[in-house]
């Protein structure tokens, strides 16, 4: 069975027209001193969506370990608990040219099918002034 815990809070800012990169380190244990990095088994995937409101049917931005065209990419570290989020500037450039505040979360999908919402929070998209 995959590790399933209550989500932590992390707010992010995505700058329109710029490459987005952020990361998390997932450590788990009874105390902060003894917590060890989570190891992601083969077949584990991750997904993250940004929406205006939780109930909105369409995501404004998507991230996944599958790295589909027009999406951001999630890279899971095999043994160090690291989760990298990356989105190319071509994707962020296509965002609406107005300030946006919404919600986001990231889910880990373990190989056995268990799903853990690891992180959730607010997402701000900050429009660019330098555009062509």
């Amino acid at each position: 069975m995959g590790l399933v815990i209550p989500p932590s809070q992390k707010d992010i800012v995505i700058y329109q027209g710029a490459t987005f990169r952020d990361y998390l380190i997932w450590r788990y244990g009874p105390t902060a001193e003894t917590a060890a990095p989570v190891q992601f088994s083969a077949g584990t995937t991750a997904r993250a969506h940004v929406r205006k409101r939780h109930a909105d049917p369409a995501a404004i931005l998507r991230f996944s370990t599958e790295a589909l065209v027009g999406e951001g990419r999630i890279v899971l570290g095999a043994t160090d608990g690291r989760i990298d989020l990356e989105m190319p500037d071509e994707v962020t450039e296509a965002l609406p040219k107005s300030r946006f505040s919404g919600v986001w979360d990231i889910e880990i999908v373990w190989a056995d099918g268990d799903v853990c919402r690891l992180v959730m929070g607010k997402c701000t998209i900050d429009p660019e002034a330098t555009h062509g």
Side-chain angles (χ1 to χ4, degrees), residues 44-47 63-68 71-76:
T44 300
T45 61
R47 60 190 178 216
F63 295 82
S64 72
T65 48
E66 285 79 36
L68 302 173
E71 288 189 351
R73 184 169 77 134
I74 300 173
V75 179
L76 302 176

Side-chain angles (χ1 to χ4, degrees), residues 24-101:
L24 313 160
I25 303 288
W26 187 5
R27 298 175 59 85
Y28 185 74
T31 68
E33 295 78 26
T34 62
V38 170
Q39 296 187 12
F40 297 109
S41 58
T44 300
T45 61
R47 60 190 178 216
H49 291 176
V50 174
R51 298 177 193 272
K52 179 72 175 169
R53 290 176 299 280
H54 289 93
D56 285 354
I60 293 165
L61 290 173
R62 296 173 182 267
F63 295 82
S64 72
T65 48
E66 285 79 36
L68 302 173
V69 174
E71 288 189 351
R73 184 169 77 134
I74 300 173
V75 179
L76 302 176
T79 60
D80 61 359
R82 186 174 170 118
I83 302 166
D84 285 286
L85 299 164
E86 304 169 349
M87 182 164 287
D89 60 297
E90 297 86 18
V91 175
T92 67
E93 187 174 19
L95 294 168
K97 302 213 182 300
S98 60
R99 190 164 183 84
F100 167 87
S101 293

Side-chain angles (χ1 to χ4, degrees), residues 94-115:
L95 294 168
K97 302 213 182 300
S98 60
R99 190 164 183 84
F100 167 87
S101 293
V103 295
W104 85 290
D105 60 21
I106 183 169
E107 295 178 337
I108 304 298
V109 183
W110 296 101
D112 67 2
D114 283 351
V115 176

